[in-house]
Amino acid sequence: MPSCIICHLNINENTDSFKSCNNLHLVHKTCLAEWLMHSHSCPLCSEPYPQSLIDQFKDYKDMKEQEKQAVLDKKLQEESQKKMQAVADKILFLKFVESIEQLIEEEKFNEAIERLLDLYDENSTDEKDLNTLFLLGKANYLKGRYDMTINFLFKLVKIRYDYPDGFLYLGKAYEKLGLKDKAQWAFDRIKESK
Ligand SMILES: [Zn+2]
Ligand SMILES: [Zn+2]
């Protein structure tokens, strides 16, 4: 029994659809359909397939190319949607930070802290959550809850060492509690983390 030069499996001349190059190298029709996507010559002898044969597979090739294009289009669309979503999220977060800073300025610390805690995800370490942690530390400091400040900001600088403002409020909180050595430690870290 002859075999297909592409997949090397047998070709049953009674039941399989198959084609051949001019040098009688046989291939399954389905194998040839895939092969023609890459080349128009016989994989074994490099003899070009006759145009009439190639034309028989034109619809298949068009369909495959359309499928490929559709996958690419979808991917591009998803990427641009993701980008737009990221921009929208960022703007929304900046607005949120602005509103928190406004509350802090108006000395509405409890309201600011409540809203920050609503948003804060303690399992996340992305920029948004680190920023939220910092604001939680700062709002608690201004409220006079230095223990809470230390709690939040220590968590922050453990994740992100280069956060000078985090060390600043951490040091200030230690100072308020009379922990001079720890305050000095935090203030020294400010220079290092810049
Ligand atoms: Zn085959
Ligand atoms: Zn051939």
Side-chain angles (χ1 to χ4, degrees), residues 1-190:
M1 202 179 277
S3 65
C4 165
I5 57 164
I6 293 175
C7 72
H8 305 295
L9 298 177
N10 288 338
I11 291 178
N12 184 326
E13 285 168 284
N14 298 318
T15 56
D16 289 349
S17 301
F18 61 96
K19 300 284 177 186
S20 151
C21 75
N22 290 335
N23 296 321
L24 299 179
H25 297 130
L26 303 187
V27 286
H28 292 111
K29 201 176 161 187
T30 49
C31 293
L32 183 60
E34 284 303 321
W35 176 254
L36 289 176
M37 301 292 294
H38 312 286
S39 165
H40 286 174
S41 305
C42 169
L44 196 61
C45 66
S46 295
E47 171 82 11
Y49 287 113
Q51 191 59 45
S52 58
L53 180 77
I54 293 167
D55 288 346
Q56 291 174 33
F57 293 89
K58 194 179 172 302
D59 287 350
Y60 180 81
K61 193 172 179 178
D62 287 350
M63 184 190 82
K64 279 285 172 181
E65 268 163 12
Q66 271 170 22
E67 273 174 15
K68 221 162 111 186
Q69 193 56 46
V71 170
L72 276 178
D73 286 351
K74 194 164 175 235
K75 216 169 148 190
L76 271 178
Q77 200 187 357
E78 279 170 1
E79 269 168 22
S80 94
Q81 267 171 357
K82 245 187 227 164
K83 262 185 212 156
M84 288 194 356
Q85 189 56 48
V87 169
D89 284 352
K90 207 169 176 183
I91 291 171
L92 216 64
F93 184 69
L94 285 177
K95 285 220 165 112
F96 172 77
V97 169
E98 232 171 66
S99 73
I100 293 297
E101 275 164 356
Q102 184 65 34
L103 286 173
I104 289 176
E105 202 164 301
E106 292 166 9
E107 303 194 350
K108 293 176 180 162
F109 303 124
N110 287 336
E111 198 184 330
I113 290 166
E114 210 170 285
R115 290 181 60 182
L116 286 163
L117 285 174
D118 274 349
L119 192 84
Y120 177 52
D121 173 4
E122 62 178 323
N123 297 314
S124 159
T125 57
D126 71 18
E127 203 57 40
K128 227 167 74 178
D129 289 287
L130 296 184
N131 212 332
T132 305
L133 256 183
F134 170 71
L135 289 169
L136 275 167
K138 185 178 170 180
N140 272 291
Y141 175 83
L142 294 169
K143 187 188 163 188
R145 284 300 305 269
Y146 309 121
D147 54 337
M148 294 299 281
T149 302
I150 291 166
N151 198 354
F152 286 120
L153 294 184
F154 205 78
K155 212 182 255 176
L156 167 66
V157 299
K158 243 167 73 186
I159 300 166
R160 261 281 291 282
Y161 196 74
D162 55 337
Y163 215 113
D165 284 347
F167 282 115
L168 175 66
Y169 278 93
L170 187 57
K172 281 159 70 138
Y174 280 135
E175 215 167 36
K176 290 279 188 186
L177 294 176
L179 301 164
K180 282 188 185 139
D181 287 352
K182 287 191 170 181
Q184 194 53 51
W185 168 82
F187 292 140
D188 287 345
R189 301 281 94 68
I190 294 176

